[in-house]
Amino acid sequence: QEQPQTQGQTDEGAEFALTGQPLEIWTFIDDYRVITGKTLHLTVQVMWKLGVTVNLEEMDKISFSPFTTENVTRGERQIFDNEHDYAGITYALSLPSDIKSGIYSIPSFSLSYRNEVDKTEGMATSAPVAIKKVGILAEGKVDRDVIAIGDRITYTLTIRHERMVKLL
């Protein structure tokens, strides 16, 4: 049985609807742009119906080439609702320093499952995630979440760049 892939969205307020499949894999990324030396955090949420067995140990062995896996943090199984359990896994990924600027893909991966109720087996597949390696990253943030007109705020601008990039 092949299961359709479900790609999570990071838009604020976006809602995720379960597709009714025995096992679903949702992926989230903290930033779609990366420079050498910056770590990307890929969060994978695995959701399965009660009565389904998933081998979560498979998650530690996934290759995300050309990305290098620096660390894997696997959360405990938790109850989602009366019909589903889930687990969250976070991968710290980086690109090799000799890789050129361009668009790269965090490849999709598959997990096997066994439905203990009807004794069927199947696979669920994640969606690939496109990442852009850039020469310069600029990030801005303010020191507060809520402000009123006239409030003093501190705006922090962080600029990261590749070693061979000269800032003017």
Side-chain angles (χ1 to χ4, degrees), residues 108-167:
S108 63
F109 60 90
S110 297
L111 281 177
S112 60
Y113 66 86
R114 176 167 173 77
N115 189 333
E116 302 297 340
V117 176
D118 60 10
K119 305 296 183 211
T120 58
E121 294 183 359
M123 297 282 283
T125 304
S126 70
V129 180
I131 301 295
K132 185 172 186 177
K133 180 161 190 272
V134 295
I136 186 170
L137 274 176
E139 300 169 344
K141 68 177 184 178
V142 292
D143 61 343
R144 304 177 200 185
D145 292 334
V146 179
I147 60 171
I149 294 175
D151 286 353
R152 287 188 169 266
I153 61 170
T154 302
Y155 183 78
T156 304
L157 178 63
T158 305
I159 300 174
R160 294 184 175 96
H161 61 86
E162 296 287 324
R163 190 170 290 174
M164 301 310 260
V165 172
K166 182 179 178 183
L167 297 177

Side-chain angles (χ1 to χ4, degrees), residues 23 25 53-64 72 74 89 91 109-114 122-124:
L23 175 63
I25 302 171
T53 303
V54 181
N55 183 3
L56 292 177
E57 286 75 31
E58 291 177 37
M59 301 289 292
D60 296 341
K61 300 176 184 121
I62 296 172
S63 171
F64 293 106
V72 179
R74 190 162 24 107
I89 300 93
Y91 297 91
F109 60 90
S110 297
L111 281 177
S112 60
Y113 66 86
R114 176 167 173 77
M123 297 282 283

